[in-house]
Amino acid sequence: MTSIDVLLKRNQELGDVTPGDRSSPRPSLQVAILTCMDARIRVFEMFGLIQGESHILRNAGGVVTDDMIRSLALSQRKLGTREVLIVQHTDCGLSMVTEDDFKDELEAASGLRPTWSVEAFREVEDSVRRSVQRVRRSDFLPHTDNVRGFVYDVKLGRLSETSDAR
């Protein structure tokens, strides 16, 4: 049985047990949460969310990229979100690579060098600050006043707000 098969079986067994409102694509809390794809970050449990309350955007590192700005622009302009919560975390895999080394690896394997940025970082707090500033400075986003950035400690399960990211 593949992992996908396991997940599909779980879905069939669970049925419709997820609480929340499914009547609208507009998040009832009017917030978008941008975080890392790391499997240790359980966004719904971390914030006590129920279905329909928030948009959840995920990528490697939880960094604000052009694609995240695209999603946030749609979230704000068409689906009513007004706040952005950015959560990166300790022990992130993206802090364990460098921009050039990873691009070199991909080029050696494929013959092509990526045109996109890896967004590797050493200090997670600095990465959070950069991401917050990218949202605040985006001309595509009408709601940039309430953007906050946090670091999630994956071992302790605690959030701490990054200074200068409020």
Side-chain angles (χ1 to χ4, degrees):
M1 184 178 282
T2 68
S3 295
I4 293 172
D5 292 332
V6 169
L7 296 174
L8 291 172
K9 184 174 185 287
R10 286 181 189 172
N11 175 263
Q12 288 174 342
E13 291 169 356
L14 286 173
D16 185 16
V17 297
T18 306
D21 182 5
R22 297 181 192 179
S23 65
S24 172
R26 301 173 70 85
S28 62
L29 292 178
Q30 298 180 319
V31 64
I33 300 171
L34 191 156
T35 193
C36 185
M37 65 186 191
D38 191 298
R40 297 170 293 179
I41 299 176
R42 299 176 56 179
V43 182
F44 280 81
E45 291 86 349
M46 181 189 311
F47 295 110
L49 290 170
I50 60 172
Q51 200 168 40
E53 289 186 320
S54 173
H55 282 162
I56 310 294
L57 310 175
R58 297 181 85 138
N59 69 11
V63 295
V64 175
T65 60
D66 286 346
D67 192 54
M68 290 296 110
I69 293 294
R70 169 190 161 271
S71 293
L72 288 170
L74 287 161
S75 177
Q76 289 187 359
R77 292 181 179 274
K78 298 299 181 187
L79 297 168
T81 61
R82 303 183 62 81
E83 300 179 41
V84 179
L85 173 59
I86 297 170
V87 180
Q88 295 181 17
H89 65 95
T90 59
D91 194 31
C92 182
L94 202 51
S95 69
M96 299 172 194
V97 300
T98 67
E99 195 83 19
D100 286 336
D101 286 347
F102 190 62
K103 284 185 173 186
D104 290 346
E105 179 183 331
L106 294 175
E107 186 174 18
S110 70
L112 299 172
R113 188 163 190 86
T115 57
W116 37 262
S117 177
V118 176
E119 299 286 345
F121 57 84
R122 289 286 170 244
E123 298 295 328
V124 67
E125 292 86 1
D126 292 339
S127 180
V128 170
R129 284 186 199 95
R130 274 191 303 277
S131 285
V132 167
Q133 287 306 314
R134 286 177 181 166
V135 171
R136 287 185 180 152
R137 292 180 180 155
S138 176
D139 293 331
F140 301 113
L141 303 176
H143 306 291
T144 58
D145 292 341
N146 202 351
V147 181
R148 294 172 65 183
F150 295 81
V151 174
Y152 177 69
D153 186 313
V154 294
K155 290 183 177 72
L156 300 176
R158 293 196 179 113
L159 285 168
S160 58
E161 191 156 13
T162 302
S163 63
D164 301 327
R166 180 170 184 173

